[in-house]
Amino acid sequence: MCTIVEEEPYVAVVEDPYLQDICSYCFQRAPPGHLLKKCSRCQLVHYCNKECQKKDFCIHKHECSFIVNSLFKTPNTKLRLLGRLLIRKYKGDSTSAFRMNEEVEQRLKERRQSEDNGENGDF
């Protein structure tokens, strides 16, 4: 079979049950008897080595803050995937994931104020 197009996934995460056994960057399973190194801050994601951790840092630095400050003890696979999607979408733009949250909050406040004033404003 011939490969015509090959592309990296836009975002991906390791499923919850496999977090300790699969590297969160390269998705390689740890060899038997070898423990992956976990992020010292969030204690959730694991990496083969420092190289994988450094390569994932551009996204994980934002994800890590959300995990540490999360209302959930451990955000599940779907929440982590959604978080990475938002981080990736806004990474590199003038709008960061954090600034996006501020903009959404501001728009909600404006919407509430216009409703309180009897206006029918749309987003």
Side-chain angles (χ1 to χ4, degrees), residues 20-33:
Q20 295 180 1
D21 302 323
I22 297 177
C23 176
S24 288
Y25 178 75
C26 70
F27 299 99
Q28 296 296 312
R29 185 177 289 277

Side-chain angles (χ1 to χ4, degrees), residues 29-83:
R29 185 177 289 277
H34 177 9
L35 295 175
L36 296 176
K37 294 159 182 49
K38 62 182 163 184
C39 172
S40 60
R41 186 163 179 232
C42 70
Q43 305 283 312
L44 182 64
V45 299
H46 292 72
Y47 298 102
C48 297
N49 51 45
K50 288 279 186 195
E51 185 178 329
C52 282
Q53 186 178 16
K54 285 179 184 177
K55 289 179 179 177
D56 194 40
F57 186 71
C58 63
I59 290 182
H60 183 65
K61 66 182 173 185
H62 302 292
E63 175 187 47
C64 191
S65 294
F66 288 123
I67 291 169
V68 169
N69 297 315
S70 174
L71 298 175
F72 305 98
K73 185 165 183 125
T74 302
N76 67 28
T77 303
K78 292 176 184 176
L79 285 174
R80 289 185 296 109
L81 185 63
L82 179 60

Side-chain angles (χ1 to χ4, degrees), residues 58 61-62 66 83 85-104:
C58 63
K61 66 182 173 185
H62 302 292
F66 288 123
L85 178 67
L86 291 171
I87 291 165
R88 178 82 191 267
K89 179 176 173 29
Y90 291 98
K91 177 185 164 285
D93 292 347
S94 61
T95 309
S96 70
F98 300 106
R99 192 159 162 212
M100 179 199 65
N101 285 339
E102 291 173 359
E103 289 176 9
V104 169

